[in-house]
Amino acid sequence: MNVTALGLERSSTIDLGKKSVLGILVNAVNYEAAVSKIIAAASAGKPLSVSALAVHGVMTGVLDSTHRHRLNHIDLVLPDGQPVRWALNLLYNTELPDRVCGPNAMLQICERAAQEGLSIYLYGSQTSVLEALSRNLCERYPKLIIAGTQPSKFKCITPQEKQEIVEQIRSSGAAITFVGLGCPRQEVWAYEYRDDLSMPLIAVGAAYDFHAGNLAKAPEFLSKIGLEWLFRMIKEPRRLWKRYVLLNPLYVSLFLLQALKIKKFDPKDATPPVEEVLYG
């Protein structure tokens, strides 16, 4: 199945640069622009940190000055989540026709990578998830080359262990690495590994479980009206209720303050990390 069959037809490129949403710099891009940037970097062997942020991802940076610094130094931040796209459209008149959903972007990247012979690496999650994910991706895109996989260590690692991970990914010959550690760990990982790996590092979160068949995606009509969070909370209430019940109203309140120019959110108001966290 290709992206057209998924209803993700390629359109003209939209790339209006980074815009501040509550002090978090988000790229005003569509799928075509985002995927093209990633494939170009992969082809050239250039580093490119990438994340797809919905409301929760944005709020992790709003509430943590150090993490805000990391997010604002990620090269490409995709507007995942309709409320983030709406914010870009309302604040900056970007006229983005749709969000850039991380799981859907992952499929488009894999399709383009398969077409152009660029191999991928899957880092994070558990071995069983990686096996199912690899199998499903290769069934969907028979020409896709998966250079290697590595499950999360579910702990903070040593600098030596980090270098071992770097060498494993480098030696695999991969051109693109997907990272599935969950938000905000995966964004920290992409930030900290960017300069060690000359390739796109793409934090995709729940995409692993979606494409492995472990999680059901929200119906498209709910996603269109910004209620995907409700579907996910019903599916995983114990894990997600605090995220959505507390952070969603706060996001709306702060957005109104920014839109009405009552409060200014300065992306430069951030604290650089003193040392690496080293999530494994």
Side-chain angles (χ1 to χ4, degrees):
M1 186 182 294
N2 58 29
V3 292
T4 302
L6 286 164
L8 303 173
E9 297 90 353
R10 289 181 188 150
S11 58
S12 59
T13 297
I14 300 174
D15 184 359
L16 301 175
K18 287 183 177 285
K19 310 290 184 184
S20 173
V21 177
L22 309 187
I24 307 303
L25 296 175
V26 181
N27 290 78
V29 294
N30 63 351
Y31 282 107
E32 178 63 17
V35 174
S36 293
K37 280 177 177 286
I38 291 164
I39 294 299
S43 298
K46 292 183 177 180
L48 186 78
S49 52
V50 184
S51 180
L53 296 186
V55 167
H56 173 243
V58 170
M59 293 304 296
T60 60
V62 172
L63 298 173
D64 184 332
S65 176
T66 301
H67 194 58
R68 181 158 64 247
H69 176 91
R70 295 190 192 97
L71 292 179
N72 287 343
H73 284 79
I74 287 179
D75 299 301
L76 181 60
V77 176
L78 309 179
D80 184 343
Q82 295 293 4
V84 179
R85 177 182 73 93
W86 293 336
L88 290 171
N89 285 348
L90 290 168
L91 293 171
Y92 304 104
N93 195 31
T94 56
E95 298 184 358
L96 293 177
D98 198 2
R99 64 181 183 148
V100 181
C101 172
N104 291 349
M106 183 179 185
L107 293 182
Q108 292 205 32
I109 294 161
C110 287
E111 183 183 31
R112 289 279 298 277
Q115 292 170 353
E116 302 190 24
L118 298 168
S119 60
I120 69 168
Y121 196 97
L122 300 171
Y123 184 88
S125 193
Q126 303 176 48
T127 299
S128 59
V129 174
L130 291 173
E131 289 174 350
L133 174 62
S134 299
R135 181 172 61 251
N136 292 345
L137 288 175
C138 288
E139 286 177 0
R140 189 185 293 268
Y141 308 114
K143 293 184 178 180
L144 181 66
I145 302 167
I146 298 179
T149 66
Q150 188 173 168
S152 171
K153 299 182 185 301
F154 296 100
K155 66 175 185 176
C156 289
I157 59 176
T158 66
Q160 180 180 345
E161 287 174 312
K162 178 188 176 184
Q163 288 309 308
E164 290 171 358
I165 292 170
V166 168
E167 289 306 317
Q168 285 177 313
I169 296 175
R170 279 180 181 167
S171 63
S172 74
I176 297 168
T177 294
F178 289 101
V179 187
L181 295 177
C183 177
R185 293 183 299 276
Q186 62 197 8
E187 284 76 25
V188 175
W189 197 98
Y191 172 85
E192 292 182 349
Y193 281 74
R194 179 194 183 277
D195 295 334
D196 294 291
L197 293 167
S198 294
M199 67 181 73
L201 307 179
I202 309 167
V204 291
Y208 277 27
D209 281 316
F210 287 142
H211 301 321
N214 295 336
L215 280 180
K217 285 201 69 178
E220 189 61 26
F221 79 91
L222 285 180
S223 299
K224 289 285 187 184
I225 61 174
L227 290 179
E228 181 178 9
W229 65 269
L230 180 60
F231 179 87
R232 290 193 64 191
M233 187 174 72
I234 291 170
K235 290 289 185 180
E236 300 180 87
R238 288 189 178 182
R239 187 174 75 88
L240 298 178
W241 78 266
K242 286 184 179 180
R243 174 190 300 188
Y244 296 128
V245 171
L246 300 179
L247 293 185
N248 284 10
L250 181 57
Y251 173 86
V252 173
S253 299
L254 295 178
F255 166 74
L256 290 174
L257 292 179
Q258 182 176 358
L260 296 172
K261 303 186 187 307
I262 295 173
K263 181 174 175 59
K264 182 178 180 181
F265 296 87
D266 185 358
K268 295 180 181 178
D269 179 17
T271 307
V274 175
E275 58 185 2
E276 291 189 323
V277 179
L278 295 176
Y279 286 125

